[in-house]
């Protein structure tokens, strides 16, 4: 499943299927004792994908699923709160980069008049729109889909769709960066900075210490092999998400934003999960940091 510079995907394929994995994890939250968010649309997406032949994670992955569900729930809540705080701060333009099946335009209490732009590959956004249309679901605010690849000229597509760079924006990149080559990641943030008026905010799930640790990868692969073997599922060709990542040296985004005059704060996944009463575990909780950056009026570049 090698990646290429201009690869594309449908919702059940390659990187597209990772959006389904997240939707599936979010659909599990409804049955937790104290849900961190409410997302009735996640199950709709999963059900529609199953009709298209997609298979949810098999039961032999129960252990990994438990820890990954807690991580996905904490992450979802963190990004939800980012958008709510941005709205409380007066921002009424939002861009969700690599939106996948995130249903925030349909489920968050946006300020009246807010416009949310969602960018992802055309096949992903088409599946999302079709599923919501089939269930007669309307967005909770102004919603604009921008079907474009984030390695292409997405700023042009975004502005053609109505985005106004003179207005402060709340940007989010959740579960995206490992799927982008390092140079595409650098270009992504250059472009975001160029399109950000004073007061803009960025929320990003970025790499923490040891995210790309080779020994960790090897342990994961070995664990999957063993679980498949124990379950007699040796013909199971469930893709390994790590095969879709670009394992490359990455720019430290905390430094990058700070150097450009943004105010930056961050929290690691383990700490965030603890805050939300979810159990993190050394091997299964992704080693990520949630970073928030704000371009204040007092920054040197403003
Ligand atoms: N942010 C969503 C969420 O948390 O529910 C989806 C996360 S999913 C792990 C990764 C998403 O990134 C997929 O929807 C995929 O299509 C999108 N993606 C990855 N690379 C992309 C690219 N080059 N252009 C557009 N979308 C991309």
């Amino acid at each position: 499943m090698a990646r290429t510079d201009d690869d594309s995907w449908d919702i059940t394929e390659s990187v597209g299927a990772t959006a389904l994995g997240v939707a599936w994890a979010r659909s599990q939250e409804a049955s937790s004792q104290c849900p961190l968010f409410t997302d009735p649309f996640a199950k709709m997406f999963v059900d529609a994908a199953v009709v298209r032949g997609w298979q949810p994670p098999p039961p032999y992955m129960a252990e990994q699923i438990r820890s990954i569900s807690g991580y996905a729930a904490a992450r979802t809540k963190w990004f939800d709160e980012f958008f709510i705080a941005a709205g409380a701060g007066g921002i009424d333009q939002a861009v969700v980069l690599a939106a996948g099946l995130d249903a925030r335009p349909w489920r968050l209490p946006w300020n009246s008049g807010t416009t949310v732009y969602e960018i992802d590959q055309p096949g992903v956004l088409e599946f999302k729109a079709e599923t919501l249309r089939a269930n007669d679901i309307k967005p909770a605010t102004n919603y604009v889909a921008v079907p474009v690849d984030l390695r292409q000229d997405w700023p042009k597509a975004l502005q053609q769709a109505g985005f106004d760079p003179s207005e402060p924006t709340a940007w989010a990149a959740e579960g995206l960066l490992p799927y982008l080559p390092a140079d595409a990641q650098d270009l992504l943030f250059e472009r975001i900075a160029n399109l950000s008026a004073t007061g803009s905010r960025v929320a990003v799930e970025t790499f923490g210490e040891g995210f790309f640790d080779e020994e960790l990868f090897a342990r994961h692969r070995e664990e999957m092999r063993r679980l498949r073997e124990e379950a007699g599922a040796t013909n199971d060709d469930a893709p390994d998400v790590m095969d879709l990542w670009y394992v490359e040296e990455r720019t430290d985004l905390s430094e990058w934003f700070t150097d450009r005059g943004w105010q930056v704060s961050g929290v690691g996944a383990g700490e965030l999960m603890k805050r939300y009463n979810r159990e993190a575990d050394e091997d299964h909780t992704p080693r990520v940091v949630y970073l928030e950056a704000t371009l204040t009026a007092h920054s040197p570049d403003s």
Side-chain angles (χ1 to χ4, degrees), residues 9 15 18-19 22 26 75 98-100 102 120-121 124 148-151 174-176 179-180:
W9 44 82
V15 188
T18 67
V22 180
R26 289 199 182 113
R75 172 177 109 165
D102 151 11
D120 207 301
Q121 285 225 352
V124 172
V148 63
D149 193 294
L150 287 161
R151 296 162 292 183
E174 175 184 15
L176 165 65
Y179 304 101
L180 286 180

